[in-house]
């Protein structure tokens, strides 16, 4: 089984775009899991939207990971990742960001934050 861990950096967040934050599926945002989606064939689906079309920079780091079920500990092992997002300019025009593959350093940079948000889980280096 696999899952998607997604972090988002957005200029309309509490950090005003200076930091990545967890992006859980809104139905499960109070669940103590780092996964937004999890299952046999988990599909990452996100449709970020806002009530107003104001200037915005929105960037996601999405990681496919697995949690070994044979271990008693809740452990996240990263497998692959990509970055994607969009910008809305002053005229309300939307421009998507180019999708790019993420590397080990991208995941590893998020590990302290992931551990702080989910202290019952461990996050393996990539």
């Amino acid at each position: 089984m696999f899952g998607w861990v997604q972090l988002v950096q957005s200029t309309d967040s509490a950090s005003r775009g200076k930091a990545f934050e967890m992006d859980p599926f809104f139905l499960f945002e109070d669940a103590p899991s780092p996964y937004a989606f999890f299952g046999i064939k988990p599909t990452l689906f996100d449709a970020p939207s806002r009530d107003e079309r104001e200037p915005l920079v929105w960037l996601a780091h999405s990681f496919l990971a697995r949690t070994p079920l044979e271990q008693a500990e809740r452990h996240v092992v990263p497998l692959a990742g990509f970055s994607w997002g969009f910008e809305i300019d002053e005229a309300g025009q939307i421009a998507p960001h180019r999708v790019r593959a993420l590397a080990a350093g991208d995941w590893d940079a998020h590990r302290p934050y992931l551990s702080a948000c989910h202290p019952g889980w461990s996050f393996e280096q990539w």
Side-chain angles (χ1 to χ4, degrees):
M1 296 202 331
F2 303 95
W4 287 98
V5 175
Q6 181 164 281
L7 300 104
V8 170
Q9 184 180 50
S10 178
T11 55
D12 67 349
S13 71
S15 75
R16 310 308 287 163
K18 294 185 181 1
F20 279 89
E21 300 170 27
M22 293 303 301
D23 187 28
F25 181 52
F26 77 95
L27 292 176
F28 307 120
E29 62 190 348
D30 59 341
S33 171
Y35 290 109
F37 305 94
F38 190 83
I40 295 169
K41 292 182 180 181
T43 300
L44 174 67
F45 173 80
D46 198 351
S49 65
R50 303 296 187 269
D51 291 334
E52 303 290 327
R53 198 176 277 194
E54 301 289 331
L56 174 71
V57 178
W58 191 96
L59 178 66
H61 280 183
S62 304
F63 297 94
L64 181 64
R66 69 181 188 93
T67 293
L69 298 178
E70 63 276 3
Q71 296 178 351
E73 180 181 300
R74 292 180 172 173
H75 191 69
V76 178
V77 180
L79 302 172
F82 68 99
S83 176
W84 64 283
F86 64 95
E87 294 185 29
I88 303 175
D89 67 16
E90 294 287 337
Q93 298 299 307
I94 300 171
H97 291 175
R98 172 168 277 181
V99 174
R100 72 172 181 86
L102 293 173
D106 296 302
W107 169 261
D108 292 341
H110 292 304
R111 288 178 61 231
Y113 174 75
L114 290 166
S115 294
C117 289
H118 300 285
W121 292 75
S122 64
F123 299 87
E124 188 172 300
Q125 281 187 299
W126 188 338

